[in-house]
Amino acid sequence: MAIRLGDEAPDFTADSTEGPISFHEWKGDSWAVLFSHPKDFTPVCTTELGRVASLKPEFDKRNTKVVGLSVDGVADHERWSQDITDVTGSSLNFPLLADPERKVADLYDMIHPNANDTLTVRSVFVVGPDNKVKLTLTYPASTGRNFDELLRVIDSLQLTAKHKVATPADWKDGEDVIIVPAVSDEDAKQAFPDGWETKKPYLRLVKQPS
Ligand code: BEZ
């Protein structure tokens, strides 16, 4: 069954390039990104994993742990990691789960048989400190993901978890945000004492809370 927003992220134990990982224990009360790629020694995946490695300091800043997965084994992951370094100049600095029996892939519905009946699609799950799923993304094998977008979404998720705001289209950290419609003007005066701009009664823009 597909995993939906707000569901608890299923727990699992799996081998990885950094030894066995029990997901909930490993993530603790951090945020986490669990993402799958179809196959080791493939071109798009090589670029993706190098890019994520280069962005590790950005994930760290956001208190977000990252873990990758494919249906290959640890020995393949380890051999492939040299290629990732050679090609992208960034070395793996986060664990890659080995899932040759597709236990985690099945648990997270990462195999979409009408796309490919053996390989994982490019799934992304962002999991909050409460172990609930906050975001899911699914890309086909042929399209590498935009990891800057993933960081942008994490910024939005973390902000909106703390404040009664939502983020508009193409929002980036530091830009104005929207006061959620459920907050009355009366309550908004308390929460946003410096005021806001009313574009429509249901669309009130306010400086991003810190
Ligand atoms: C790739 O990473 O390049 C890839 C993987 C599986 C199918 C197609 C492309």
Side-chain angles (χ1 to χ4, degrees):
M1 164 126 153
I3 294 172
R4 297 177 179 173
L5 301 188
D7 290 355
E8 171 147 316
D11 198 16
F12 58 82
T13 299
D15 210 0
S16 87
T17 48
E18 297 186 7
I21 284 185
S22 289
F23 183 56
H24 285 184
E25 189 188 344
W26 169 82
K27 80 172 271 304
D29 56 11
S30 304
W31 290 71
V33 172
L34 167 63
F35 72 108
S36 58
H37 58 273
K39 186 105 196 93
D40 293 1
F41 301 101
T42 53
V44 177
C45 299
T46 302
T47 63
E48 283 197 326
L49 294 204
R51 179 67 181 142
V52 174
S54 76
L55 290 172
K56 174 81 167 22
E58 293 298 322
F59 288 105
D60 289 346
K61 260 195 234 165
R62 292 160 175 83
N63 187 30
T64 300
K65 295 184 174 179
V66 180
V67 59
L69 172 147
S70 81
V71 295
D72 298 299
V74 168
D76 277 341
H77 287 349
E78 282 170 351
R79 281 194 303 121
W80 181 40
S81 66
Q82 186 57 52
D83 292 357
I84 295 169
T85 307
D86 292 347
V87 171
T88 69
S90 297
S91 298
L92 271 190
N93 49 13
F94 57 91
L96 268 193
L97 298 170
D99 193 29
E101 290 166 9
R102 298 177 208 153
K103 286 184 185 157
V104 181
D106 286 341
L107 194 60
Y108 277 78
D109 198 29
M110 290 167 165
I111 293 180
H112 296 197
N114 289 327
N116 187 304
D117 57 7
T118 53
L119 305 180
T120 40
V121 291
R122 297 187 196 282
S123 298
V124 182
F125 296 88
V126 177
V127 183
D130 57 358
N131 289 345
K132 298 277 170 37
V133 174
K134 308 295 182 187
L135 175 98
T136 65
L137 289 171
T138 307
Y139 279 49
S142 51
T143 304
R145 287 159 283 199
N146 182 329
F147 291 96
D148 290 320
E149 166 63 3
L150 184 56
L151 291 170
R152 190 193 74 86
V153 177
I154 291 170
D155 286 340
S156 172
L157 292 170
Q158 294 187 342
L159 182 73
T160 58
K162 267 206 222 132
H163 302 280
K164 290 182 174 162
V165 297
T167 58
D170 296 335
W171 172 87
K172 289 197 213 61
D173 187 35
E175 295 178 354
D176 289 352
V177 298
I178 292 168
I179 302 171
V180 294
V183 174
S184 66
D185 280 352
E186 198 59 24
D187 290 343
K189 279 183 202 150
Q190 305 284 322
F192 308 102
D194 294 337
W196 60 87
E197 183 189 354
T198 302
K199 296 273 189 193
K200 294 283 175 189
Y202 55 83
L203 175 40
R204 296 164 295 175
L205 288 177
V206 70
K207 294 272 167 248
Q208 177 181 325
S210 50

